[in-house]
Amino acid sequence: MNKTKALGSIQKYTMVLVLVLVVLFFSLRTGGKLLLPQNITNLISQNAYVFVLATGMLLCILTGGNIDLSVGSVVCFAGAVGALMMQAKINMWLAVVVMLAVGLAIGAWQAFWIAFMRIPPFITTLSGMLVFRGLSNVLLKGQTVSVTNAAFVKIFGGGADCYIPDFFGGGAGHNILAIVVGVVGVAIFAVATFLSRASKVKKGYATESLISTIVKTVVIGAVAIFFAVKLSQYKGIPTALIWVALVVAIYSYITGKTTIGRHFYAVGGNEKATKLSGINTDKVYFLAYSNMGLLAGLAGMLTIARLTSAQPTYGQNYEMDAIGSCFIGGASAYGGIGTVPGVIVGALLMGVINIGMSIMGVDQNWQKVVKGLVLLAAVIFDVVSKRKKS
């Protein structure tokens, strides 16, 4: 029994261990450059769209291993709409609302065909990928549209000065706010973890051992403090991190604590049984793909803010980054299994590989080869694990 539990724990945290090993590998290969404060900040800012899109993609995958191939094109289209509105001097917040609404509308359009007409998600979203990439070109007329609204750029994480002001008066390279936020965040996480465990024990639910809970909390806390220190040594907390943290917190709660969150897992586990139990599975599919469109709209804002422009080529391969992050982070190719924290680990692993190979000067084509092999290895691990259990 103990051996089985140990193997289960190893499988559960495999990608965390892989992430640690990859970080150590690139740290040694780059002479420690990977862990420089600026590179840690770049890891967050440059991959903000991946964290957001992967979180939404997880809900689609949970419904049965389904994916959304259109998100990159939707990111481009929503960003193009917002950039053109701001170029026309339309109120920034109205542009933000419209970009989110555009993403949600596209998601709902595709969700209708998937949920109620039962058109396969692959076909529906492949169509969306082509349609909205073409519309982005038409809208932008094949040209680059600059985003000059300073407030928008700063709030959504683009440019060199897009950081939360240090209210404690720390200077450049010594940001006190980042340390305070890190410590407070770890304290809240620790309290929430042990209160949750105590509640489960009281109700007689199966829980991790106390030692496992302590070790997990200490490791996660140490990593969070490490990130906080690194951020404090550069310019502090990038505004993009705030949006990522909000998305992760909200969707972690939805998938882990709400009824609709359990419905996503149920549909992926056994759709027929879920439908027979009285759950509206069509509604679950509709929510998953509508939500994906909404988050694609947010990712569009983060993208044009970081790059301070909109181009017809933006968003290419974003869907692959999101899908890869989910599967690498432990989401099952068959649906019903996966967590938001796991997806974040997958996105971090992809980001570390990107930055590490870039620092080493590895050719872009070889970077794609490595990421493709990592994705294949993650899916193979998932499939083999399930065969052994069965």
Side-chain angles (χ1 to χ4, degrees):
M1 183 65 71
N2 291 334
K3 185 177 179 180
T4 302
K5 285 184 176 180
L7 288 173
S9 297
I10 291 172
Q11 287 183 347
K12 186 176 180 181
Y13 297 110
T14 296
M15 285 305 155
V16 176
L17 295 173
V18 171
L19 175 60
V20 171
L21 292 175
V22 169
V23 169
L24 290 175
F25 171 78
F26 281 114
S27 296
L28 293 173
R29 293 289 295 174
T30 61
K33 290 181 181 178
L34 176 70
L35 298 179
L36 289 175
Q38 184 174 355
N39 285 331
I40 296 296
T41 301
N42 289 339
L43 176 63
I44 296 168
S45 299
Q46 293 176 8
N47 292 281
Y49 75 89
V50 182
F51 297 125
V52 172
L53 292 177
T55 302
M57 191 68 72
L58 174 65
L59 300 188
C60 298
I61 291 173
L62 286 177
T63 61
N66 301 303
I67 56 177
D68 187 337
L69 294 174
S70 69
V71 292
S73 297
V74 177
V75 164
C76 184
F77 184 73
V81 170
L84 288 171
M85 289 181 69
M86 284 183 278
Q87 186 186 57
K89 305 300 180 183
I90 294 174
N91 182 273
M92 179 197 83
W93 291 111
L94 179 58
V96 166
V97 171
V98 169
M99 279 188 278
L100 291 174
V102 165
L104 179 59
I106 293 172
W109 162 258
Q110 296 187 143
F112 169 78
W113 297 108
I114 294 168
F116 301 115
M117 303 305 293
R118 290 296 173 171
I119 306 299
F122 182 88
I123 299 300
T124 303
T125 58
L126 177 61
S127 169
M129 179 178 73
L130 299 173
V131 168
F132 295 105
R133 178 64 62 186
L135 287 176
S136 298
N137 270 284
V138 171
L139 200 61
L140 294 171
K141 299 178 180 177
Q143 299 176 345
T144 299
V145 174
S146 297
V147 176
T148 57
N149 189 305
F152 175 82
V153 171
K154 188 166 186 177
I155 291 171
F156 290 97
D161 299 317
C162 303
Y163 296 84
I164 304 299
D166 189 351
F167 305 109
F168 297 97
H174 193 68
N175 191 284
I176 300 173
L177 178 64
I179 299 293
V180 171
V181 170
V183 171
V184 171
V186 169
I188 292 173
F189 170 76
V191 170
T193 298
F194 286 103
L195 286 178
S196 176
R197 185 182 185 279
S199 176
K200 289 180 180 178
V201 171
K202 186 177 180 180
K203 294 176 182 178
Y205 296 160
T207 60
E208 292 180 321
S209 67
L210 180 59
I211 293 176
S212 295
T213 303
I214 292 173
V215 171
K216 180 180 75 173
T217 304
V218 169
V219 171
I220 293 175
V223 171
I225 294 296
F226 172 80
F227 268 92
V229 170
K230 288 295 181 179
L231 292 177
S232 73
Q233 292 174 349
Y234 188 54
K235 295 181 180 180
I237 303 172
T239 52
L241 179 59
I242 302 300
W243 295 106
V244 170
L246 282 173
V247 169
V248 170
I250 290 170
Y251 286 89
S252 292
Y253 178 79
I254 290 173
T255 55
K257 302 291 184 181
T258 67
T259 301
I260 187 61
R262 290 191 289 273
H263 288 175
F264 287 115
Y265 289 96
V267 170
N270 190 324
E271 184 179 351
K272 290 183 179 179
T274 302
K275 197 166 188 175
L276 290 172
S277 69
I279 295 173
N280 188 337
T281 56
D282 292 345
K283 180 182 176 182
V284 174
Y285 279 108
F286 186 83
L287 288 174
Y289 283 91
S290 296
N291 173 75
M292 186 70 258
L294 177 67
L295 291 182
L298 175 58
M301 289 190 284
L302 295 174
T303 298
I304 65 172
R306 183 173 69 85
L307 300 172
T308 63
S309 65
Q311 289 185 15
T313 57
Y314 285 175
Q316 288 184 343
N317 294 323
Y318 278 19
E319 60 278 352
M320 299 307 168
D321 290 334
I323 294 166
S325 297
C326 288
F327 288 135
I328 291 170
S332 172
Y334 302 105
I337 297 175
T339 64
V340 173
V343 166
I344 299 307
V345 170
L348 282 173
L349 180 57
M350 295 282 277
V352 168
I353 290 173
N354 283 337
I355 290 181
M357 289 194 292
S358 295
I359 295 172
M360 291 172 59
V362 177
D363 182 75
Q364 287 283 341
N365 294 314
W366 283 110
Q367 291 186 31
K368 292 177 182 178
V369 171
V370 171
K371 288 194 291 184
L373 291 174
V374 169
L375 174 58
L376 178 61
V379 176
I380 290 173
F381 177 79
D382 172 54
V383 173
V384 172
S385 297
K386 282 184 173 53
R387 283 179 182 172
K388 287 183 178 179
K389 288 179 182 178
S390 61

